Amino acid sequence: MLKWSHSTFAAILLIMLSASLSAQNQPKSPATDKPATRQVIASASDDSIRFTSLGELIQMRLEVIGLSGETLFDSDFKPGNVIDWPGSDSKGQRLADGAYLCIVSVTDSSGQLTRRRAIAVLREGTVSMTRPDASTLSAAQAQVAGPPADEDVSATILEPQQSSATAILAHDGATAQLIS
């Protein structure tokens, strides 16, 4: 009777182990297989805007589009998770007062590309942010931005009076920086 109990116990244990292993090898359902989209945060100070993306990523890019649809500033893809934009074009010249479409593209370690949009408003040397919608985009900017996806495509905008001090740890793959 004692031998039968040990062999029964071993058989049950073997069945449980094989069931557990086969459950781990099952393909993931499409709902759990989709990677989470990345959040982009935009915060404006008096004369510049900081775009950040939290979490693991490889590269980040900022494109600033004028009213006629032309690209006035393009940072190209750079390693890290912070881009500061001083309100100038690619040549360093301060842009005229107006509303500019900002498109932030983030590539993470899996190669997933996430794009977020915001409107930068320059007035009398100060910069503010707003969410893009049909009433704030020119026809040319809307064409460059493309149709909205199913997900929210806007960057999260932090208002200066509503946000507290923030510290961000940035890493470009070789060096780390603490930015506040």
Side-chain angles (χ1 to χ4, degrees), residues 93-116:
Q93 300 295 316
R94 184 80 175 169
L95 294 177
D97 288 357
Y100 299 92
L101 173 63
C102 297
I103 301 174
V104 179
S105 303
V106 177
T107 304
D108 64 17
S109 61
S110 67
Q112 179 187 5
L113 178 69
T114 301
R115 291 180 67 194
R116 295 287 182 257

Side-chain angles (χ1 to χ4, degrees), residues 36-57:
T37 58
R38 182 158 309 282
Q39 181 180 23
V40 173
I41 301 168
S43 61
S45 64
D46 288 339
D47 60 351
S48 66
I49 300 172
R50 172 167 284 172
F51 295 94
T52 60
S53 182
L54 305 178
E56 179 186 345
L57 61 104

Side-chain angles (χ1 to χ4, degrees), residues 61-64 71-78 89-90:
R61 176 185 189 182
L62 170 64
E63 298 169 273
V64 178
T71 301
L72 300 172
F73 178 85
D74 188 348
S75 69
D76 291 322
F77 277 100
K78 296 184 181 234
D89 63 14
S90 293

Side-chain angles (χ1 to χ4, degrees), residues 13-162:
L13 185 61
L14 186 60
I15 290 170
M16 289 174 46
L17 181 62
S18 65
S20 173
L21 289 175
S22 71
Q24 290 177 3
N25 292 329
Q26 294 296 324
K28 294 180 181 178
S29 67
T32 59
D33 204 22
K34 182 181 176 189
T37 58
R38 182 158 309 282
Q39 181 180 23
V40 173
I41 301 168
S43 61
S45 64
D46 288 339
D47 60 351
S48 66
I49 300 172
R50 172 167 284 172
F51 295 94
T52 60
S53 182
L54 305 178
E56 179 186 345
L57 61 104
I58 294 178
Q59 297 177 328
M60 198 167 164
R61 176 185 189 182
L62 170 64
E63 298 169 273
V64 178
I65 312 300
L67 289 174
S68 61
E70 76 280 11
T71 301
L72 300 172
F73 178 85
D74 188 348
S75 69
D76 291 322
F77 277 100
K78 296 184 181 234
N81 61 351
V82 176
I83 294 178
D84 288 321
W85 181 61
S88 59
D89 63 14
S90 293
K91 297 174 186 172
Q93 300 295 316
R94 184 80 175 169
L95 294 177
D97 288 357
Y100 299 92
L101 173 63
C102 297
I103 301 174
V104 179
S105 303
V106 177
T107 304
D108 64 17
S109 61
S110 67
Q112 179 187 5
L113 178 69
T114 301
R115 291 180 67 194
R116 295 287 182 257
R117 305 176 197 152
I119 297 291
V121 180
L122 280 66
R123 278 207 180 86
E124 300 173 4
T126 63
V127 180
S128 63
M129 300 295 299
T130 185
R131 293 175 61 92
D133 62 30
S135 66
T136 58
L137 293 176
S138 71
Q141 286 173 326
Q143 184 177 6
V144 171
D150 292 338
E151 63 187 57
D152 181 17
V153 295
S154 298
T156 302
I157 298 170
L158 297 180
E159 298 295 332
Q161 62 273 21
Q162 294 176 344

